[in-house]
Amino acid sequence: MTRDVSVVILAAGLGTRMRSGLAKVLHQAGGACLLEHVIEAAKEIAEPERIVAVVGHQAERVKAEVEGLGTRFEVQTEQKGTGHALRVCAGQPGVKSGRLVVLYGDCPLLSRATLRRLLAEHEAGGRAATVITTVLPDATGYGRIVLDEAGQVAAIVEQKAATAEQKEIREINSGIYCFEAELLWPYLEKVEPNPASGEYYLTDVVELMRAAGHATVPLVVEDANEILGINTRVELAEADRIFRQKKVRELMLGGVTIQRPETVTVDVGVEVGQDTVIGPMAQLLGKTKVGRECAVGASAILENAVLEDGAKVHAFSSVQDSRLGAAAEVGPYGRLRMGAVVEDGAMVGNFVELKKTRLGQGSKAMHLAYLGDATIGQKVNIGAGTITCNYDGRKKNPTQIGDGAFVGSNSTLVAPVEVGAGSYVAAASIVTKPVPKDALAVGRAHQINKEGWAKRRREEKAE
Ligand code: UD1
Ligand code: CA
């Protein structure tokens, strides 16, 4: 990390064109809100306590969302332009000297590599400021970069103020700069409100510094996507697509097989080990961590899931805040939620739901079961249709099933209840009392056969 760098992230704007009740920078792309992406990138070049996010619109909500990232905040109560937004940070410790980098909260695709390059070129060039620019086929709406004969920035002219000739310029201002902080602050003080809009334009500082002999030099980036500013939900979707595409590409280059990668959704924070195979339409979200040689079937959804090596989540399963041990399996159509754990080699089959339940090593629950608030030992067999009645209308009650127990199909285990190790529960039993170790529990009506009954009935009808 370069020493003596601070970052200000402008994120106070309304984002009117999102047409949303939610502040623009809180909208999500690639599995995180826009501002979080920018803060994470900023951390690449500055310590969190030297990063200041300028918030305004829904300031409290925005702060609450990204507080955990360790940055500072400044509130701009009235949005009076980009120059004003930076000015409100003047009193912050840490921004007064060294290099000051300005980023936008709605510009989430800027790469860490480009940020490092911005600092490197700025320092090597020994100038007052460096501004990131790019060349667009259509520059409408952006501030245009007016260069002098020496290739330095003479001015940044906003669309509304541009002459016909300046509108032809296709090199645009990204709004991302690196300043010599000690030079910036006095000149920023001198910026006057724009006569047309009444806003203080940060771009005006470039001309003021230049008049005093302090140069600003452009750094042209090739990939215009990097400085894509999100204004509408159409651009939001585009940013999301770019994040996802980049993420699956990284995973594939790292040794993960992804079938139909264009259909797969992976959040930026997800980790996947080598030789894992991910099927079409799968979603890997949040802080999901998948080991090596795992399988994630078509349309499976993993959210904050942990899969140890060789675990398999088959098609159409949902694993939320839950964990699969080595070579454990779930699905197709399985559901794990709220801290469920399927230990090494255990199997959960189709239409089985586990909530806050631990299924021990090598145990099986293969068909149509609900297991809630249960602790199940090793090598247990849970028959088809088994239900833990964990809720009594007021609170949730636990079920304990010991090692090697065999729970017959369609059993109803009324919690709190304990099924001892090595015991059998006969199919269709309603278990309300503890089952001792190695016992057989039969909790159902005895079967009676009425000989010839059906035949007699048919004959009666025929008469
Ligand atoms: C700005 C630049 C323009 C550049 C463009 C790139 C100026 C005057 N213009 O224009 O040259 O081409 O970005 O996208 O700087 N913000 C605040 N407080 C404010 C105003 C804005 O925090 O009072 C924040 C916004 O939340 C946003 C960013 O600053 O993140 C940019 O503001 P915006 O109004 O979108 O600037 P543009 O008109 O797009
Ligand atoms: Ca903008």
Side-chain angles (χ1 to χ4, degrees):
M1 199 176 285
T2 320
R3 291 206 325 278
D4 216 9
V5 177
S6 57
V7 177
V8 172
I9 302 171
L10 306 187
L14 283 153
T16 321
R17 281 173 288 169
M18 291 299 279
R19 295 181 176 273
S20 176
L22 186 68
K24 175 161 80 175
V25 291
L26 291 185
H27 281 263
Q28 301 249 326
C33 75
L34 301 181
L35 183 55
E36 182 176 341
H37 286 290
V38 180
I39 292 174
E40 289 298 346
K43 281 183 174 175
E44 180 79 7
I45 54 167
E47 301 295 343
E49 61 275 11
R50 289 191 71 183
I51 300 172
V52 187
V54 181
V55 295
H57 191 61
Q58 294 181 357
E60 289 314 310
R61 197 162 166 188
V62 175
K63 270 197 226 176
E65 194 71 27
V66 296
E67 215 155 36
L69 302 175
T71 64
R72 291 173 181 274
F73 296 95
E74 190 65 65
V75 181
Q76 184 195 25
T77 36
E78 255 186 291
Q79 279 80 63
K80 293 194 272 187
T82 48
H84 179 259
L86 186 53
R87 223 185 245 182
V88 298
C89 298
Q92 284 278 346
V95 301
K96 295 194 164 69
S97 62
R99 327 273 168 265
L100 172 60
V101 173
V102 177
L103 303 176
Y104 284 175
D106 62 355
C107 198
L109 290 159
L110 186 71
S111 73
R112 288 153 170 76
T114 299
L115 270 179
R116 284 195 303 267
R117 195 173 144 214
L118 172 66
L119 278 175
E121 293 210 4
H122 177 84
E123 275 170 42
R127 72 275 302 234
T130 306
V131 54
I132 293 185
T133 69
T134 196
V135 177
L136 293 180
D138 177 9
T140 311
Y142 288 96
R144 308 299 209 284
I145 301 290
V146 181
L147 296 174
D148 64 15
E149 319 72 51
Q152 296 178 348
V153 183
I156 301 174
V157 186
E158 293 305 301
Q159 172 81 22
K160 280 188 188 138
T163 64
E165 199 185 331
Q166 285 166 340
K167 280 185 182 139
E168 296 297 308
I169 298 173
R170 294 191 300 121
E171 182 172 358
I172 62 107
N173 171 25
S174 70
I176 296 159
Y177 320 80
C178 178
F179 291 102
E180 286 302 308
E182 279 162 58
L183 273 174
L184 169 77
W185 294 113
Y187 289 101
L188 190 62
E189 278 302 307
K190 295 194 174 79
V191 170
E192 298 282 342
N194 180 278
S197 67
E199 289 189 0
Y200 295 84
Y201 288 173
L202 176 53
T203 44
D204 287 350
V205 87
V206 171
E207 262 184 281
L208 291 173
M209 291 198 302
R210 177 182 160 85
H214 304 298
T216 297
V217 177
L219 165 60
V220 189
V221 300
E222 296 292 314
D223 180 6
N225 277 338
E226 277 207 41
I227 57 170
L228 178 71
I230 309 302
N231 293 311
T232 67
R233 295 191 202 231
V234 175
E235 286 150 351
L236 184 72
E238 178 63 5
D240 185 67
R241 190 189 61 75
I242 293 167
F243 273 123
R244 309 284 183 197
Q245 203 172 35
K246 205 172 133 203
K247 181 71 187 184
V248 292
R249 195 183 144 77
E250 266 169 33
L251 290 178
M252 290 189 288
L253 291 173
V256 178
T257 295
I258 302 183
Q259 298 161 346
R260 305 284 310 280
E262 70 282 8
T263 69
V264 167
T265 302
V266 185
D267 283 356
V268 288
V270 170
E271 292 171 33
V272 185
Q274 212 173 302
D275 291 317
T276 285
V277 178
I278 298 173
M281 305 293 288
Q283 299 193 8
L284 282 68
L285 310 175
K287 310 246 173 295
T288 291
K289 251 178 123 164
V290 177
R292 294 165 82 101
E293 293 176 37
C294 291
V296 179
S299 296
I301 301 176
L302 273 49
E303 190 177 354
N304 303 323
V306 176
L307 272 60
E308 282 169 26
D309 295 349
K312 291 190 167 84
V313 175
H314 299 290
F316 303 106
S317 296
S318 165
V319 179
Q320 227 177 3
D321 304 306
S322 294
R323 176 183 203 100
L324 274 81
E329 295 191 31
V330 171
Y333 297 101
R335 182 171 189 209
L336 306 184
R337 60 188 179 96
M338 289 177 82
V341 179
V342 180
E343 288 184 350
D344 296 0
M347 312 258 276
V348 172
N350 40 235
F351 306 106
V352 175
E353 176 183 357
L354 264 65
K355 180 224 119 187
K356 276 194 191 164
T357 285
R358 177 176 284 268
L359 186 66
Q361 277 184 31
S363 291
K364 289 180 182 177
M366 295 307 286
H367 329 271
L368 302 156
Y370 172 61
L371 303 168
D373 303 291
T375 308
I376 302 168
Q378 300 184 9
K379 297 221 163 72
V380 169
N381 187 80
I382 303 289
T386 297
I387 305 289
T388 54
C389 306
N390 59 329
Y391 187 46
D392 59 15
R394 273 181 299 178
K395 63 176 195 313
K396 304 292 165 69
N397 299 296
T399 299
Q400 306 261 4
I401 302 176
D403 292 348
F406 183 99
V407 178
S409 294
N410 214 25
S411 294
T412 303
L413 309 176
V414 182
V417 75
E418 205 169 319
V419 176
S423 67
Y424 267 66
V425 173
S429 289
I430 298 173
V431 178
T432 53
K433 293 183 290 202
V435 180
K437 185 171 178 287
D438 297 324
L440 166 67
V442 186
R444 65 183 184 216
H446 283 287
Q447 181 172 337
I448 18 176
N449 292 335
K450 296 187 176 176
E451 291 294 337
W453 183 91
K455 190 161 176 264
R456 281 199 300 282
R457 187 160 188 266
R458 276 194 302 274
E459 285 164 0
E460 273 168 29
K461 272 211 171 146
E463 276 165 17

